[in-house]
Structures are given as structure tokens and as C-alpha cells.
């Protein structure tokens, strides 16, 4: 099981536990584990010690805390010469949960919201592949899925702030993801049919054993994925369509993008499960990207 205050509270009081080497999850101790702890043979005691350390780290993460003196003291006093008692771990988790109930509720709400986002993204992307709104190549699908997940981070943060997952969250996530793919599809159409100077890689080749597409779609790589993410992402979710297309055409034309690609590729981008990672990337990368215009102008004026 995953280790949280809630999962620890469900441990059996009459059982002992250790941390599995293979799965990294908490497991009920068997007779062999009990013997290894009793005699010091093998890694029995090491498993108990690792469980103690992981319980501490997991509980702190469950409340987004860096440290907690009371918890540290309780973990330090555990007897790791034996597998850890379920009753003891339950008591530790219960006291920690009582002391940090509000913080844990916020983190749990965000975690639940992100789990829902993963489900909605999977369903949405599968639908977009089926309807030929994106290329079906696995790498391309993975990039689009990340865009979908970043597009709903503002909703996950709202759940965090309200300490609950609202009943309409799934629908709101579907709407935000649909807004993101509609923006991308609009930009593809503008480039292919209206002759915008964007110049991104476009193709109708939908992969092996698939018929060619009627409408060319972006062929994403890391650079072009990041350019779309930077243009699309705001603190409040996907940008308005007019704002997105304007940013793409004015800022991210292919020749300019290649000139300033380091601004996007070297800006740190945390994974979608990191709170507001998409907006933080977009905000930082766009500022660095725009700042490079001055250095380019100065360089060109000296030539």
C-alpha cells in the first residue's frame, strides 16, 4: 500500500510490518522476516529501519512539511531491531494527522484531483486519437497528454485551497482539456490552410498501419511541445484562443524559436503532478525568451 496518514491508520493492530525491497511499499511481516529481525540475519532489521524512514518522509510529504519535531522524536524512538508494530505506526500517524489535519486535507484533495485529471486525460487523449485530432505516434500522444494535464493544474490547486474535490470537477477538467486541444487544432489549421508563418513541423502521416490524416497535425518534439505549453498556459488555465494564437504567431515562429530555443529547453519544467508546474514554466520561459530579443537586436545592430 502507499504510505499516507490515512493508509497507516488502517494497519492491523496485531500485525508487524516492513518495507518491501522489490515494491517499496509496506508489507505485513511473515515468520521469516520476524526471524531475520530477531537474529540480525540478512536485511530484516534494515527493512524495518527503512520503513521507519519512509513513514517519516511520507507523513511529512502528506502535509507538505519539511520537518516536524514531534514526529522526528517518535520515529527515532522506534525499535527497528524488530518489524514495526501496526498499532505503533497507527498511533504515530493518528497523532500526526490530528496535529496537521488542515494541511493533510488540502494535500489529499489535490492528490485526489490529480488522480481524476489522469483519468480524464487518458480518456480525452484516446478520443482525440480516434477522431484524428492528434497524431497517433506514441511520443506525440505522450506530449499531448502532458499538455492536457498541465491545462487543469489550476483546478487541482483550487481543490487544494478548498480542501475538497468538487462534484463537478470532472466536467470542468474535460472542458479545460477540450479548450487546450481546440487551441492546438486551430493553430494547425491556421498554419496549414491560412499560410501563417509559424512553420512548426506538420504532417498527415499518422504512423504505421494507419491511414493518412485529412488535416495535418503538429509533430511534437520537446522544443515544440514546450513552445505550445508556454503560449497556452496561464495561472487560470488555458489561455483564450485569441491570446494563444497571437503569442504563437508573434513569439514562436520557427526561425525565432530555433534562435531562442535554449530559453525553453533550459528552463526547468517539473512533471504535471507538481503543483502549478506548467504555469511556473510558462511564466519563466516566456520572460527569458522575450529578454533574448534585446540581445539579438544588440547583436544585429553591431553587425
Amino acid at each position: 500500500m502507499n504510505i499516507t496518514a490515512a493508509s497507516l491508520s488502517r494497519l492491523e493492530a496485531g500485525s508487524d510490518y516492513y518495507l518491501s525491497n522489490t515494491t517499496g511499499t509496506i508489507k505485513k511481516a511473515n515468520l521469516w522476516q520476524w526471524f531475520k529481525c530477531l537474529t540480525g540475519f540478512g536485511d530484516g532489521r534494515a527493512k524495518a529501519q527503512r520503513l521507519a524512514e519512509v513513514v517519516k518522509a511520507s507523513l511529512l510529504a502528506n502535509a507538505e512539511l519539511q520537518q516536524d519535531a514531534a514526529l522526528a522524536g517518535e520515529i527515532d524512538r522506534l525499535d527497528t531491531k524488530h518489524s514495526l508494530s501496526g498499532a505503533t505506526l497507527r498511533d504515530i500517524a493518528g497523532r500526526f494527522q490530528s496535529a496537521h489535519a488542515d494541511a493533510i486535507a488540502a494535500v489529499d484533495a489535490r492528490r485526489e484531483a490529480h488522480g481524476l485529471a489522469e483519468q480524464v486525460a487518458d480518456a480525452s487523449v484516446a478520443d482525440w486519437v480516434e477522431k484524428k485530432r492528434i497524431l497517433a505516434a506514441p511520443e506525440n500522444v505522450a506530449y499531448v497528454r502532458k499538455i492536457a494535464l498541465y491545462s487543469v493544474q489550476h483546478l487541482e490547486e483550487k481543490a487544494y485551497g478548498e480542501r475538497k474535490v468538487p462534484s463537478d470537477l470532472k466536467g470542468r477538467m474535460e472542458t479545460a482539456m477540450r479548450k487546450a486541444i481546440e487551441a492546438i487544432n486551430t493553430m494547425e489549421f491556421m498554419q496549414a490552410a491560412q499560410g501563417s508563418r509559424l512553420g512548426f513541423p506538420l504532417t498527415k502521416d499518422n504512423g504505421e498501419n494507419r491511414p493518412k490524416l485529412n488535416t495535418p497535425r503538429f509533430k511534437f518534439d520537446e522544443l515544440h511541445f514546450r513552445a505550445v505549453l508556454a503560449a497556452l498556459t496561464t495561472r487560470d488555465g488555458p489561455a483564450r484562443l485569441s491570446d494563444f494564437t497571437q503569442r504563437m504567431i508573434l513569439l514562436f515562429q520557427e526561425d525565432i524559436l530555433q534562435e531562442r530555443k535554449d530559453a525553453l529547453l533550459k528552463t526547468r519544467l517539473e512533471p504535471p503532478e507538481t503543483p502549478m508546474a506548467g504555469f511556473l514554466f510558462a511564466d519563466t520561459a516566456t520572460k527569458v525568451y522575450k529578454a533574448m530579443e534585446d540581445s539579438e537586436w544588440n547583436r544585429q545592430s553591431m553587425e
Side-chain angles (χ1 to χ4, degrees), residues 242-284:
S242 59
D243 292 339
F244 171 70
T245 55
Q246 184 177 44
R247 289 173 193 154
M248 290 290 287
I249 293 171
L250 294 181
L251 289 177
F252 297 113
Q253 291 178 24
E254 183 70 10
D255 55 344
I256 301 173
L257 178 62
Q258 293 297 335
E259 181 80 13
R260 307 180 195 174
K261 62 183 179 181
D262 283 354
L264 299 182
L265 293 177
K266 292 185 178 181
T267 297
R268 188 175 184 85
L269 175 57
E270 298 287 354
E273 57 266 26
T274 302
M276 296 303 288
F279 168 72
L280 293 174
F281 163 78
D283 186 57
T284 301

Side-chain angles (χ1 to χ4, degrees), residues 140-151:
N140 202 77
V141 169
Y143 280 127
V144 174
R145 184 179 186 275
K146 286 197 286 188
I147 291 172
L149 288 172
Y150 286 122
S151 76

Side-chain angles (χ1 to χ4, degrees), residues 69-89:
L71 175 63
E74 291 201 80
I75 295 297
D76 288 344
R77 289 190 292 271
L78 288 173
D79 179 9
T80 55
K81 292 181 180 179
H82 302 85
S83 293
L84 303 185
S85 160
T88 299
L89 294 176

Side-chain angles (χ1 to χ4, degrees), residues 127-203:
D127 180 65
W128 300 340
V129 169
E130 180 67 24
K131 293 179 178 177
K132 301 180 181 179
R133 301 187 70 170
I134 63 173
L135 296 180
E139 181 182 29
N140 202 77
V141 169
Y143 280 127
V144 174
R145 184 179 186 275
K146 286 197 286 188
I147 291 172
L149 288 172
Y150 286 122
S151 76
V152 298
Q153 286 191 315
H154 64 299
L155 298 175
E156 295 174 21
E157 204 61 19
K158 186 173 178 63
Y160 173 88
E162 295 177 351
R163 275 56 173 168
K164 65 178 182 179
V165 174
S167 59
D168 64 345
L169 183 59
K170 181 176 182 289
R172 293 168 67 187
M173 285 181 166
E174 290 171 340
T175 298
M177 291 184 190
R178 184 165 57 249
K179 186 175 180 181
I181 197 60
E182 287 173 352
I184 292 171
N185 289 161
T186 298
M187 199 67 249
E188 291 165 338
F189 176 78
M190 290 177 66
Q191 178 174 325
Q194 298 181 15
S196 77
R197 294 182 296 165
L198 184 64
F200 273 30
L202 283 176
T203 183

Side-chain angles (χ1 to χ4, degrees), residues 31-44:
L31 185 59
W32 178 236
Q33 171 65 14
W34 173 84
F35 175 78
K36 289 196 294 183
C37 284
L38 180 66
T39 62
F41 176 75
D43 63 350

